[in-house]
Amino acid sequence: MAPKILIVLTSFGEIPGVGPTGWYLPEFAHPHEVFHKKATLVIASPNGGKAPLDPNSVKMFESDPVAKNFLDTQESLWTNTEKLADMLARVDEFDAIFYVGGHGPMFDLTTNKTSIQLIESFAAKHKPITAVCHGPCVFLNTKNSSEEPLIAGAQVTGFSNAEEDAVKLSAAMPFMLETELQRISGKTNGYGGALITGQNPASAGAVAEAILDVLG
Ligand SMILES: *[C@@H]1O[C@H](CO)[C@@H](O)[C@H](O)[C@H]1NC(C)=O
Ligand SMILES: *[C@@H]1O[C@H](CO)[C@@H](O)[C@H](O)[C@H]1NC(C)=O
């Protein structure tokens, strides 16, 4: 049977005083390209309904054919998302969870109790927990059953401080992702299941391939 993957998008669409944000187009478009023939996908966001697409990512990737085609043909995937809270009772249905990046997740998903509970539930069932770019922020506050950080000692990557400086958004962020990932993961041991993370938009397709690999 085809694996079933829960894809999570942010509901956060505007950084006050800075401008529109959301989830990042190629980080959904490229994984979708990899997944769509091989997996069943369910898309959710904290608020459900329309999950805000970062307009900057649309502009940046206007000459990327995969992103462009996804934008033109798959809109219902991000305008009709399920409510994240409704997924808590459905964890057994899924084989893996994947968080799309963008600056939005930094604001709503890092601290969202529903999201944290969902990830901890996937982890407790040894299902892959995966994310790309800013998406790994969702793991910062997750714990295992011994109340230790899930990513303690784990190899985890994400959008770097240098990349954040380069896009001139460091001052607009609630925290620096690389700094926090290093602070929380910098211990021994770590999550025994599959933890798959990718650094930036260019890693999104490879993360999706890696997810399908561990699902066999
Ligand atoms: C988390 O998301 C849920 C919806 O899934 C929302 O009702 C809740 O207010 C959010 N909580 C926080 C702390 O952001
Ligand atoms: C929780 O994580 C800590 C630190 O990584 C580890 O020592 C411990 O064995 C884990 N507990 C469980 C139940 O997995």
Side-chain angles (χ1 to χ4, degrees):
M1 212 168 78
K4 191 165 183 178
I5 300 170
L6 178 57
I7 298 185
V8 185
L9 302 175
T10 182
S11 294
F12 187 90
E14 177 89 27
I15 306 175
V18 175
T21 188
W23 57 271
Y24 212 72
L25 179 63
E27 297 170 14
F28 189 5
H30 284 267
H32 180 267
E33 174 80 359
V34 171
F35 289 145
H36 79 283
K37 286 200 186 112
K38 294 179 179 155
T40 305
L41 304 177
V42 173
I43 323 299
S45 67
N47 297 345
K50 186 169 182 179
L53 167 58
D54 182 345
N56 304 301
S57 67
V58 174
K59 201 181 233 172
M60 285 289 288
F61 285 81
E62 63 193 356
S63 56
D64 175 329
V66 170
K68 181 81 174 66
N69 180 58
F70 180 78
L71 182 67
D72 291 344
T73 62
Q74 304 294 331
E75 195 176 352
S76 65
L77 293 181
W78 63 90
T79 53
N80 295 313
T81 65
E82 304 269 0
K83 275 204 167 93
L84 208 52
D86 294 339
M87 299 300 110
L88 288 171
R90 293 176 54 181
V91 173
D92 286 339
E93 265 176 50
F94 297 103
D95 297 294
I97 187 167
F98 172 64
Y99 283 80
V100 173
H103 289 94
M106 294 282 283
F107 294 85
D108 64 347
L109 287 165
T110 305
T111 53
N112 188 280
K113 291 213 166 62
T114 304
S115 176
I116 291 167
Q117 215 184 321
L118 200 56
I119 293 164
E120 290 173 349
S121 177
F122 272 77
K125 291 170 195 241
H126 303 287
K127 297 175 190 246
I129 55 173
T130 71
V132 68
C133 199
H134 287 87
C137 70
V138 303
F139 302 132
L140 287 171
N141 294 302
T142 56
K143 303 248 163 68
N144 71 10
S145 54
S146 323
E147 290 299 306
E148 292 289 336
L150 264 186
I151 60 167
Q155 255 207 316
V156 51
T157 187
F159 206 59
S160 69
N161 291 348
E163 287 172 311
E164 203 71 88
D165 287 344
V167 298
K168 299 191 167 52
L169 281 171
S170 296
M173 290 299 109
F175 56 88
M176 292 301 282
L177 182 60
E178 181 182 0
T179 304
E180 285 306 286
L181 285 175
Q182 278 181 358
R183 188 173 69 81
I184 305 290
S185 69
K187 291 188 185 170
T188 52
N189 299 316
Y191 178 53
L195 171 71
I196 303 168
T197 53
Q199 184 178 350
N200 56 31
S203 329
V207 167
E209 299 278 9
I211 295 168
L212 287 183
D213 278 354
V214 302
L215 296 179

